[in-house]
Amino acid sequence: MNSGRPRAKVAATNDYAIATCMITGKVMRIDARTNSVVDYTAVGRAPIGVSIARNKAYVACALSQEIAVVDVLTGQLLRTLRAGMIPVDVSANQAEDKIYVANAVSGDISVIDTAADIVVDTLPAGLSIA
């Protein structure tokens, strides 16, 4: 049953899993071969959704209203991007060249180019996106 509260998410490659830790504002990097926690990276306030493309984790940080980009192999925070208002979830396309960010309050989808790590488009979706 969905209580309406956001949930933490996990994204994985064959080597690493990245899990959001909403309370601490960090992501946990897990070695998928040994099932052990490698490290934690501070990313922003209320990280919720996460998706991986091109060995980078894109993390929707709802309360800091940004997308954190983390190197999956090193755990290093590479940069933060501004998207819409209250980003809550992210997803990569199969080609891993675009990330789509669901923004709850602005009611739109931000499109991020993963080669340049910039927002290249905003698609209207309506407030029902939350």
Side-chain angles (χ1 to χ4, degrees):
M1 181 169 114
N2 185 348
S3 63
R5 287 177 278 164
R7 308 253 190 263
K9 304 280 177 104
V10 177
T13 67
N14 288 333
D15 299 317
Y16 292 100
I18 304 291
T20 58
C21 306
M22 294 171 37
I23 304 293
T24 64
K26 297 178 180 180
V27 293
M28 174 190 310
R29 193 164 59 108
I30 301 162
D31 185 319
R33 297 163 300 224
T34 64
N35 291 326
S36 59
V37 175
V38 177
D39 53 27
Y40 294 84
T41 303
V43 292
R45 292 182 15 233
I48 301 173
V50 60
S51 189
I52 295 174
R54 297 184 188 225
N55 281 319
K56 295 181 280 186
Y58 293 83
V59 183
C61 300
L63 296 183
S64 51
Q65 298 191 51
E66 60 196 4
I67 305 302
V69 183
V70 176
D71 185 306
V72 172
L73 302 177
T74 66
Q76 178 183 0
L77 177 65
L78 299 173
R79 66 185 46 86
T80 57
L81 308 170
R82 294 303 250 170
M85 294 175 62
I86 314 294
V88 292
D89 208 357
V90 294
S91 186
N93 66 354
Q94 287 187 336
E96 293 189 357
D97 63 346
K98 299 283 188 296
I99 291 287
Y100 296 89
V101 181
N103 302 300
V105 172
S106 54
D108 53 26
I109 305 288
S110 298
V111 182
I112 297 171
D113 177 299
T114 61
D117 287 335
I118 59 172
V119 177
V120 294
D121 204 356
T122 302
L123 310 171
L127 292 179
S128 64
I129 196 165

